[in-house]
Amino acid sequence: MVGKTLITPDTLVLVSGGARGITAQCVIKLAHHIPCKFILLGRTPVNDPLPEWALDCPDDAELKRRAMTRLTTEAKKATPQAVEKLFRQIRAQQEVETTLQAIRQTGAVVEYVNLDVTAPVQTLQKELAGPVQRLGKINGIIHGAGTLSDRRIEKKTIQDFETVFTPKVDGLRNLLKVAPAGQLDFLVLFSSVVGFFGNIGQADYAMANEVLNKAAYQIKRDNPTCHVVSIDWGPWDFGMVTPELKRAFAERDMTVIPTDAGAEMLVKEITSHHTVNDQPVQIVVGQLPTRAASDISGELQRFEIRRHLSLDANPFLLDHQIGLYPVLPATCAASWIASVCEQLFPGFTFYQLEDFKVLKGIVFDENLAHEHILELNEIEKVPGEKVKFAARIWSKNKNGRPLYHYSLIVTLLREMPPTTIHNVNLQPSAGTNEGILGKALYEDGTL
Ligand SMILES: NC(=O)c1ccc[n+]([C@@H]2O[C@H](COP(=O)([O-])OP(=O)(O)OC[C@H]3O[C@@H](n4cnc5c(N)ncnc54)[C@H](OP(=O)(O)O)[C@@H]3O)[C@@H](O)[C@H]2O)c1
C-alpha cells in the first residue's frame, strides 16, 4: 500500500540543530528540492547584529586576534579560553545567519528559534507557539541536535554525560511533546555509527545514539503511518568531526561522508518515501569501521581476567532463577569469554565455540565468590589468520580450593568465511515426508 508523499511545499518541518552543522546542510539541500516551511531550533543567539570588529573576517586566526583585542579593550581577561569562546560565538552566529539566508534563497520559509531542545516542555511550547501559528501544523521532525564531550570512561563526569545524553534523548522526548508522532508524516533522528560500534571516549554518545535507534522502533510500532527512521551516520566531512577525529578515522581506514553526498542521502530518505511504508527504521550510512589486525606472532600466551559479579549490577539475572537462586545463563558465560577474547585481539572476530561445558555454573547464593577468574590459554596461533584459546572460568571456594564453573574452546578469525544457511529438515509435517526447512524460519519472520 502506498500512502501520501511525505513532503510537499505546504509541509512544516521542525528541525532541532537545523541552523548549524550537518543538519543545516541537509535542510538547505532539502529546501532546494522542496521549498517548504522550516522551524529551526538552536542555542546560538542571533538577535543582535554581529559586532563591527567581527565583520568581513573569513580568516580564523585574524578573528581570534580581533577577539583578543576586543576583550582587552573591554578590560576583560583575554585568556585563551575567553578568546576561543568569543571566537566560537561569532562563528556560530555567522553559521546560523548563513544557513537562514541559504534557505530563504530557495524560496522556502524559515524561522529560527533560539532555544535549547532540553528546555522544559512548557518553554518549548510557549516559544514555538508563535512560529506554529504563523506557519501551520508541524508535519515532520528532524532531530539533529547533538553535542560531544569526549573523554575516556574512567574520566567522564556526570556533567559530560548530561551534556551529551540530554540533547539527544530528552530532546527527542520534548520534541514529541510539542508535535506528537501521531500528527507527523515523518520523524528523522540523527544517530551515529558510534551507537552501533562504540568509540573510544564516547560511551555517553554511543548510549544516547543507541537510545535514539531503539526509540525509533518503538515510535514506529506505535505510529505505523509515520515514516520513522534513525540514521546511524558514519563520520562526515563537516560538523562535529574535528581534525583529530578525522585523523583517527583515517588510521582506521574510514573515509568520511562528503557533505554534499550525505545531505543528498537525507533528501532522498524524505522525498522518495511515502507515509505508509515498510522501509527500514534504522539505517547505517557510511563505511563500516575496520581495525588493523593485532600482531599475534610469538609464544603462546596465558591471560587471567578477574571479575566481580553481583546481582545488584546485573538485575536481569533475577529473571533467570533455578529453584531458590538466580543462576548465570550459560550463554552469558560463553559470550563473556568470546567478548574478552575479541577485546584481547582487536581486528579478530569470534568465530567458533567448541566443547562448551557447564561445570558448576555460577549460582547467586550465599556461596557466591567475591571474584571470578577467566583464564585463557592460547593453544594455537596462525599469524594474521586465527587464534584459538582454551578458556575456563573459576573461583576459589571458602577453603581456597579452585571451583571450576565453565570451560570451552574459542576460535577467533581475522576473516570470516561466507555464511552458509543449512537447509535442515526440522520436523516432518503431518501426513507428508516434507519437513520445515531451517532456511524458511529466517525468511518467514519466525526468527
Ligand atoms: N558530523 C558527523 O560526522 C556526525 C556523524 C554521526 C552523527 N552525527 C550527528 O548529527 C548531528 C549534528 O552533528 P554535527 O556534526 O552537525 O554537529 P555540530 O556541528 O556540533 O552541530 C550540532 C548542532 O546541534 C545543535 N545543538 C546542540 N545542542 C543543542 C541543544 N541542546 N538544543 C538545540 N540545539 C542543539 C547545535 O546548535 P547550537 O550550538 O546553536 O545549539 C548545532 O546546530 C548530531 O546529532 C550528531 O550526533 C554527526
Side-chain angles (χ1 to χ4, degrees):
M1 187 163 73
V2 174
K4 64 176 178 166
T5 310
L6 287 181
I7 189 160
T8 72
D10 290 328
T11 301
L12 174 58
V13 194
L14 175 61
V15 194
S16 72
R20 298 183 54 217
I22 66 168
T23 321
Q25 298 306 309
C26 291
V27 174
I28 295 169
K29 184 73 95 181
L30 187 57
H32 273 286
H33 276 69
I34 302 202
C36 58
K37 298 176 283 181
F38 297 97
I39 301 174
L40 312 184
L41 294 190
R43 297 161 306 169
T44 303
V46 290
N47 297 336
D48 299 327
L50 274 180
E52 238 170 72
W53 61 264
L55 296 176
D56 303 321
C57 187
D59 182 61
D60 286 349
E62 168 62 14
L63 185 59
K64 283 184 190 177
R65 201 190 55 71
R66 290 191 198 176
M68 191 158 32
T69 312
R70 184 69 205 167
L71 287 169
T72 318
T73 321
E74 287 175 353
K76 290 184 183 151
K77 278 194 181 155
T79 60
Q81 292 87 335
V83 171
E84 183 67 25
K85 191 171 164 209
L86 187 53
F87 163 78
R88 281 175 188 253
Q89 276 168 5
I90 298 291
R91 284 288 183 249
Q93 179 172 346
Q94 285 175 323
E95 192 179 351
V96 174
E97 286 169 355
T98 307
T99 303
L100 297 176
Q101 204 180 1
I103 295 173
R104 288 191 181 116
Q105 273 170 2
T106 68
V109 177
V110 60
E111 290 202 24
Y112 177 70
V113 182
N114 175 204
L115 199 58
D116 189 320
V117 76
T118 64
V121 178
Q122 293 85 339
T123 310
L124 276 142
Q125 282 166 334
K126 192 166 146 245
E127 295 292 322
L128 289 169
V132 167
Q133 206 171 25
R134 287 187 285 278
L135 301 180
K137 194 180 90 172
I138 295 167
N139 316 96
I141 290 180
I142 301 174
H143 181 32
T147 37
L148 293 178
S149 188
D150 291 3
R151 226 186 286 264
R152 293 185 83 100
I153 193 163
E154 65 274 19
K155 298 214 169 112
K156 286 261 178 217
T157 62
I158 293 290
Q159 189 51 50
D160 290 326
F161 181 84
E162 296 282 330
T163 304
V164 176
F165 199 76
T166 55
K168 294 231 168 210
V169 178
D170 295 359
L172 174 61
R173 202 182 287 128
N174 283 350
L175 293 173
L176 290 175
K177 286 204 176 122
V178 170
Q183 79 172 51
L184 300 177
D185 294 328
F186 62 88
L187 169 67
V188 180
L189 308 179
F190 276 29
S191 182
S192 163
V193 286
V194 170
F196 208 75
F197 298 105
N199 202 15
I200 291 170
Q202 296 192 323
D204 40 16
Y205 185 65
M207 283 172 69
N209 284 301
E210 188 54 6
V211 170
L212 292 193
N213 292 337
K214 293 292 183 279
Y217 285 102
Q218 190 175 0
I219 297 164
K220 178 68 189 177
R221 192 194 58 197
D222 297 343
N223 302 275
T225 58
C226 177
H227 176 59
V228 183
V229 64
S230 188
I231 306 180
D232 294 358
W233 295 112
W236 282 53
D237 192 12
F238 201 78
M240 55 172 59
V241 178
T242 56
E244 299 81 61
L245 272 172
K246 265 190 207 166
R247 265 197 302 279
F249 290 130
E251 277 165 20
R252 291 163 76 179
D253 280 338
M254 282 180 81
T255 43
V256 289
I257 301 171
T259 307
D260 208 48
E264 192 64 52
M265 143 85 229
L266 185 276
V267 170
K268 236 175 155 184
E269 185 57 38
I270 296 179
T271 53
S272 63
H273 292 150
H274 297 86
T275 47
V276 179
N277 60 71
D278 54 2
Q279 301 302 316
V281 169
Q282 182 181 2
I283 51 178
V284 176
V285 180
Q287 191 197 356
L288 300 186
T290 54
R291 303 187 79 172
S294 315
D295 179 12
I296 58 166
S297 55
E299 306 264 296
L300 295 175
Q301 299 181 74
R302 179 177 180 280
F303 303 89
E304 255 188 32
I305 291 101
R306 287 157 195 272
R307 183 166 177 182
H308 171 67
L309 285 173
S310 76
L311 273 183
D312 284 349
N314 300 283
F316 74 96
L317 292 169
L318 295 168
D319 290 332
H320 192 259
Q321 198 156 319
I322 299 177
L324 289 178
Y325 300 104
V327 170
L328 188 74
T331 179
C332 290
S335 44
W336 165 16
I337 296 171
S339 145
V340 168
C341 293
E342 280 188 335
Q343 287 177 49
L344 284 172
F345 290 100
F348 284 77
T349 311
F350 166 66
Y351 170 62
Q352 193 174 45
L353 180 158
E354 295 164 277
D355 207 11
F356 184 26
K357 293 192 186 114
V358 178
L359 304 164
K360 287 271 177 232
I362 294 179
V363 181
F364 290 79
D365 60 9
E366 62 282 358
N367 295 320
L368 181 74
H370 175 69
E371 68 172 12
H372 287 84
I373 298 148
L374 166 57
E375 182 188 320
L376 294 168
N377 288 291
E378 291 178 356
I379 52 176
E380 187 187 346
K381 282 200 285 202
V382 182
E385 277 181 36
K386 128 171 160 180
V387 53
K388 209 166 178 173
F389 302 89
R392 58 185 179 178
I393 294 175
W394 59 279
S395 62
K396 284 186 188 156
N397 70 10
K398 286 192 177 130
N399 305 322
R401 292 235 173 87
L403 203 60
Y404 295 103
H405 302 282
Y406 309 89
S407 69
L408 53 79
I409 309 281
V410 180
T411 306
L412 304 183
L413 292 184
R414 173 67 182 149
E415 294 285 345
M416 284 287 135
T419 314
T420 43
I421 298 175
H422 297 285
N423 253 338
V424 184
N425 265 0
L426 289 182
Q427 72 181 52
S429 318
T432 71
N433 285 331
E434 284 177 26
I436 303 167
L437 295 180
K439 193 174 169 209
L441 299 177
Y442 289 90
E443 290 169 349
D444 67 6
T446 306
L447 292 172

